[in-house]
Amino acid sequence: MTRALAHPNIALVKYWGKQNKTGNMPATPNLSITLSELTAVTTINDSDRFRFQLNGQQVNDPKVSALIATMTDTFSLPPLQIDSTNNFPTSAGLASSAAGFAALVTGIDAHCHLGMDAALRSEWARRGSASAARSICGGFVALVPPDWQAQSLAPTNHWPLEVVVAVTSHDAKAVSSSEGMERSRLTSPFYNQWLRSAGDDYAEAALAIATRDFEKLATVAELSCLKMHSLMLTSSPTLSYWTPASVACMDRIRELRNHGEAVFFTVDAGPQIKAVCLPESRVTVAKALSEVPGVLEILSCSLGEGARIIDDEEPLTGR
Ligand code: DP6
């Protein structure tokens, strides 16, 4: 039995659109922070046939089955029973698939003695879900050409950012990220502009992180997020992942920043708002967002480490 743990990550420069090649490679460079307290834990056991359970339920996840089939062919894997458990809402814009695939590949690598390094695990995780490539690494993480294997830009202690997550719905999303980004690529009139500007956004964000320039990071991260949501909104049929409370939280975060709090928002393909802040602003931000009508729950995270093997005794949260 082997257990692996990975955390979700949150993109500050977004990935939304793939290259037209095999290997599930993003069309644009992207960059994320890995969170701590939220976890996916995957347990791998030998079995008589392939089985996959998510949060205790037997499920048929085509992406997991496809990745396992390719890994089985490539590495002659034996049949495995895979049990994955998240301690946070699944499929609701909290990067559950990112954490799940990073833990899955890390667990299979160790259980089957494949001897992969982090770059190779990142590549295999990317084949499952491109954002998962980033959850292999901790802290500040880049997913860039030519290899599209995630690289650490800086460790967690480089800049101890905090993330307050305002949960505004527990429902699973109606349109998956994979389907949504393909729809945007094919139909949004802004898609080519998105491709052209992503390199500059990436460079700006990487510089802001290197120099710990919060204002610069806030500006470029909110811009990248809103550009991605503009692609979604201008897709045909349109894609809208926000609830009224998501919009109210973004407005509240702008107000807080105007009043001197070090905070900015980012939102993925779901209704949850992630408020990225400096430690001194966290309590104020969490309180303000908890008071926004429609906010169901507040989660607080700091930056976390990459995917890793854990033993039976290890607590399932923390860095
Ligand atoms: C909005 O990584 O879930 O979270 O590669 O098709 O599985 P696939 O997509 P996925 O898309 C993530 C999109 C996003 C932005 C991001 O994480 O960069």
Side-chain angles (χ1 to χ4, degrees):
M1 195 261 275
T2 308
R3 281 207 313 173
L5 179 152
H7 302 292
N9 67 78
I10 294 192
L12 303 183
V13 176
K14 302 294 186 187
Y15 146 55
W16 194 251
K18 299 174 195 293
Q19 293 183 42
N20 202 3
K21 294 181 188 156
T22 52
N24 198 30
M25 285 178 281
T28 56
N30 50 92
L31 180 160
S32 63
I33 47 179
T34 302
L35 304 183
S36 59
E37 285 74 7
L38 311 181
T39 61
V41 172
T42 298
T43 308
I44 317 275
N45 279 296
D46 294 332
S47 176
D48 55 343
R49 62 183 176 87
F50 167 66
R51 287 192 184 85
F52 177 63
Q53 284 202 348
L54 180 60
N55 296 327
Q57 305 276 334
Q58 195 83 24
V59 288
N60 180 12
D61 182 321
K63 281 179 151 185
V64 172
S65 304
L67 183 69
I68 297 295
T70 313
M71 290 187 84
T72 301
D73 282 355
T74 309
F75 300 108
S76 304
L77 299 184
L80 299 169
Q81 157 100 32
I82 298 168
D83 297 283
S84 191
T85 307
N86 298 329
N87 73 348
F88 57 96
T90 300
S91 295
L94 279 175
S96 54
S97 66
F101 278 110
L104 176 73
V105 170
T106 300
I108 291 177
D109 171 49
H111 190 79
C112 302
H113 309 288
L114 303 181
M116 293 187 199
D117 61 11
L120 202 53
R121 280 189 289 125
S122 176
E123 179 167 334
W124 278 101
R126 189 195 73 221
R127 288 167 188 265
S129 191
S131 55
R134 300 183 310 235
S135 276
I136 295 292
C137 304
F140 299 82
V141 183
L143 186 58
V144 294
D147 295 334
W148 299 103
Q149 296 166 332
Q151 305 162 15
S152 173
L153 281 179
T156 52
N157 63 3
H158 167 71
W159 197 12
L161 299 181
E162 308 259 343
V163 180
V164 175
V165 183
V167 176
T168 73
S169 168
H170 286 125
D171 297 343
K173 60 189 162 210
V175 180
S176 71
S177 296
S178 312
E179 191 186 332
M181 67 177 72
E182 184 60 4
R183 191 184 295 179
S184 297
R185 185 178 76 82
L186 294 173
T187 64
S188 171
F190 300 147
Y191 189 73
N192 283 337
Q193 179 57 27
W194 165 254
L195 294 183
R196 278 197 291 274
S197 64
D200 288 349
D201 291 345
Y202 172 83
E204 186 86 354
L207 181 63
I209 289 166
T211 56
R212 299 189 196 90
D213 184 334
F214 193 85
E215 270 304 312
K216 192 193 276 276
L217 186 60
T219 304
V220 71
E222 287 191 354
L223 183 65
S224 176
C225 166
L226 293 174
K227 282 185 195 172
M228 180 183 76
H229 284 273
S230 304
L231 294 180
M232 295 166 170
L233 290 167
T234 53
S235 297
S236 181
T238 189
L239 290 161
S240 173
Y241 290 101
W242 297 343
T243 60
S246 315
V247 178
C249 285
M250 287 186 268
D251 287 343
R252 190 74 186 93
I253 289 167
R254 288 191 190 96
E255 270 171 27
L256 289 165
R257 192 155 79 251
N258 289 340
H259 285 92
E261 298 298 339
V263 60
F264 64 85
F265 63 77
T266 189
V267 198
D268 287 320
Q272 328 309 1
I273 301 297
K274 291 92 177 198
V276 181
C277 52
L278 290 180
E280 54 270 32
S281 288
R282 184 179 58 83
V283 172
T284 306
V285 169
K287 181 165 185 303
L289 293 181
S290 73
E291 289 165 358
V292 172
V295 169
L296 306 175
E297 193 184 347
I298 295 287
L299 310 169
S300 284
C301 307
S302 38
L303 300 192
E305 301 300 341
R308 57 202 181 271
I309 298 300
I310 54 170
D311 60 35
D312 282 350
E313 307 306 318
E314 193 163 332
L316 298 186
T317 57
R319 295 170 195 206

